[in-house]
Amino acid sequence: MSIFEYPELVFTQFALLIISGIWLLRRNDEIPLLISSFLFYMASYRYWAVTSGIDKWVNLGSFGFRAITKEAALIALSYIVLGQMCLLGTYMVQQRRVLPIAILSCDSSLLRWLRPKVIFLGLSCLPLVVITRSNVIEQIASGRSLAFQISGYLRLFPFVLVGVATLIVCLWKFGGFSSLFSKLAAFVILASLANLTFSSSGRFQFLGWIVASGIIISSSYRPKVRLAVLSSIAIVGISIFALAGAMRNPQLTSDILNQAAWERAFSAEDANMLDGFVLIQEVYPQRLDFRWGMEHLEILLRPIPRALWPDKPVGGYMNQLGLITANTGFTLGISPTLFGSFFAEAGIIGVFLCSSVYGVILATIVRYTTKLQPFASILIRAIVCASLIPLLRGGDLPGIYAWIGMAFWPCFLLLWFKRTNFRLKSSSFIQAYDSTYE
């Protein structure tokens, strides 16, 4: 039984949302606001939508799970709020710097060096992604299991489009595309990326690079303008995400499709992570022992191909329970939020400790960006914000980190090989934010 009722929990999340907005205005730091907004929508709002009759709880009764009740959902909501408080609390204690407003100035020689390489990468990846997707579809059609018999590298390669789009938008923001040809090439690549990622199966790719683009585009504005820009992009992102989800039903006409998308967004049907947390409470520790750190250790083990390690442990509680095997022909799992993954590690202790550690790590990364030139600083923060979307969604943590690695490896390579160039050498590149600008 939860010791807190819904009004107390929703008030706490709403208060954290307001505090995060003030944090953005005073420190030009968007991380807490992104976390608070996403968690409010998938937790408190999801609870209200279902208990108000707008939507229904996820039902996995055919797999032996009990029906979700309001009482069980309230307990899960309490854990999420606890994790959110620990995550934001440690982050705000550790990251107290005012983030600078980026002046759009960058080493011209770096831009000249980077521009042709990004264009070449984008034009090369487009046909490779099409070929890779076709190969995966053919293997699935032949009866091979997506989770067990198809290479994860092959399946995740299309996510590179997120990193390519992030690089192009960042390069464009800093004036890297000066000629008509380069601008046209960049526009064609971005349009093609949007076309390839806007689908029911690729909507998290689409949302990922939309979030990254929003961070980059708003980086040179004052906090009040940034708040308006980021809020607008969030609304557009949720709308497009819901529309892509509604496209799962190919029989819907355009008018009905728009209505279905609105209903999905209003009911938080795609944000059913609260439901997933309830389900994971039924698994740990009743059906499976707590992971005791293995969920994070598997991040290092997951890259090992199953061809080299046939007996490599499977990820996800549905696989571990034997409910999904190579012969079932489908994959299933309801994401339980990041804090659900922490709960699987060690229960409430895991939620408290892991949330605090993640808060410190996030703060360390953001503080580090203040030591870099604007291009690298904004690029890293865009990567962090885009990565927070699948992370906060939660689920199979090794799979999420694999997503991040496969999506942003072009960005990581650039940041590593040009790390010397990206160190802050002159204060002329940065204009520190001052409240008097408002």
Side-chain angles (χ1 to χ4, degrees):
M1 179 179 178
S2 175
I3 60 175
F4 297 104
E5 297 300 326
Y6 177 71
E8 300 165 335
L9 296 173
V10 70
F11 174 81
T12 301
Q13 281 207 304
F14 187 74
L16 291 173
L17 185 61
I18 298 299
I19 293 172
S20 299
I22 297 173
W23 186 271
L24 170 62
L25 295 176
R26 291 189 175 182
R27 286 184 168 79
N28 197 30
D29 184 358
E30 66 280 340
I31 300 292
L33 184 60
L34 173 63
I35 293 173
S36 297
S37 302
F38 197 69
L39 290 177
F40 182 86
Y41 182 64
M42 72 168 68
S44 290
Y45 182 82
R46 171 64 180 175
Y47 183 93
W48 174 84
V50 175
T51 55
S52 299
I54 299 175
D55 198 23
K56 298 180 180 179
W57 299 115
V58 169
N59 187 350
L60 294 184
S62 58
F63 290 92
F65 289 91
R66 295 190 297 268
I68 296 176
T69 62
K70 291 196 299 184
E71 292 74 19
L74 201 60
I75 295 174
L77 180 58
S78 301
Y79 281 121
I80 292 175
V81 173
L82 170 64
Q84 181 181 355
M85 292 174 62
C86 293
L87 177 63
L88 291 178
T90 52
Y91 177 87
M92 290 180 173
V93 169
Q94 294 293 319
Q95 200 313 88
R96 303 184 65 84
R97 298 182 183 179
V98 175
L99 301 184
I101 299 174
I103 290 182
L104 303 180
S105 177
C106 188
D107 186 353
S108 58
S109 61
L110 176 64
L111 296 179
R112 288 195 302 270
W113 175 86
L114 182 59
R115 179 172 55 243
K117 293 174 177 58
V118 171
I119 292 177
F120 175 78
L121 178 64
L123 295 177
S124 301
C125 284
L126 291 176
L128 288 176
V129 166
V130 174
I131 294 172
T132 301
R133 284 183 172 178
S134 299
N135 184 272
V136 171
I137 293 174
E138 289 177 2
Q139 292 191 56
I140 294 175
S142 66
R144 295 177 65 85
S145 171
L146 181 64
F148 294 88
Q149 297 172 323
I150 298 178
S151 171
Y153 291 99
L154 192 66
R155 178 171 54 87
L156 293 174
F157 176 76
F159 288 110
V160 71
L161 298 178
V162 178
V164 172
T166 303
L167 278 176
I168 291 177
V169 174
C170 196
L171 191 58
W172 200 318
K173 178 71 174 178
F174 282 83
F177 298 111
S178 55
S179 66
L180 179 62
F181 172 77
S182 62
K183 290 180 180 179
L184 182 61
F187 178 79
V188 169
I189 294 172
L190 286 177
S192 301
L193 294 177
N195 181 58
L196 286 172
T197 56
F198 181 68
S199 64
S200 58
S201 60
R203 53 200 175 130
F204 278 98
Q205 289 174 269
F206 191 90
L207 187 61
W209 74 268
I210 287 294
V211 170
S213 299
I215 300 301
I216 295 169
I217 292 171
S218 65
S219 62
S220 59
Y221 303 137
R222 294 187 177 92
K224 284 186 178 180
V225 179
R226 291 196 71 213
L227 180 59
V229 171
L230 293 175
S231 299
S232 301
I233 292 176
I235 294 173
V236 172
I238 291 176
S239 302
I240 295 177
F241 187 82
L243 180 61
M247 289 171 59
R248 288 179 174 179
N249 187 349
Q251 298 178 348
L252 296 179
T253 63
S254 58
D255 294 337
I256 300 178
L257 184 64
N258 292 331
Q259 181 181 353
W262 162 250
E263 291 175 353
R264 292 179 75 94
F266 184 65
S267 66
E269 182 177 346
D270 292 305
N272 55 14
M273 294 79 183
L274 179 63
D275 312 43
F277 202 127
V278 176
L279 296 175
I280 211 169
Q281 288 181 100
E282 191 175 334
V283 174
Y284 299 99
Q286 288 81 6
R287 301 190 187 187
L288 294 173
D289 292 333
F290 287 125
R291 304 301 308 279
W292 302 114
M294 281 302 299
E295 185 80 2
H296 285 82
L297 180 60
E298 285 181 6
I299 296 172
L300 304 177
L301 303 178
R302 185 63 60 86
I304 303 175
R306 194 169 291 276
L308 300 178
W309 187 6
D311 297 327
K312 184 173 68 172
V314 295
Y317 63 87
M318 297 291 282
N319 294 327
Q320 294 166 12
L321 289 172
L323 300 176
I324 296 177
T325 66
N327 299 322
T328 55
F330 62 89
T331 58
L332 179 67
I334 307 300
S335 299
T337 76
L338 177 63
F339 309 114
S341 300
F342 294 164
F343 181 87
E345 292 280 43
I348 189 173
I349 297 176
V351 173
F352 176 80
L353 290 179
C354 292
S355 299
S356 301
V357 170
Y358 269 60
V360 172
I361 293 174
L362 274 175
T364 302
I365 294 173
V366 173
R367 286 203 315 271
Y368 172 71
T369 64
T370 61
K371 302 177 182 179
L372 302 175
Q373 293 187 26
F375 186 95
S377 176
I378 298 304
L379 180 61
I380 292 175
R381 280 163 53 194
I383 293 172
V384 169
C385 290
S387 300
L388 279 174
I389 299 301
L391 267 176
L392 291 173
R393 177 174 176 252
D396 178 27
L397 275 184
I400 293 171
Y401 279 102
W403 183 96
I404 295 172
M406 293 299 288
F408 294 109
W409 63 261
C411 303
F412 295 146
L413 286 178
L414 171 65
L415 291 168
W416 173 256
F417 285 115
K418 291 295 181 179
R419 60 190 182 279
T420 302
N421 303 74
F422 286 140
R423 291 173 186 166
L424 190 61
K425 298 183 178 70
S426 172
S427 59
S428 62
F429 286 110
I430 296 288
Q431 175 184 344
Y433 169 67
D434 191 312
S435 59
T436 57
Y437 295 156
E438 293 302 316

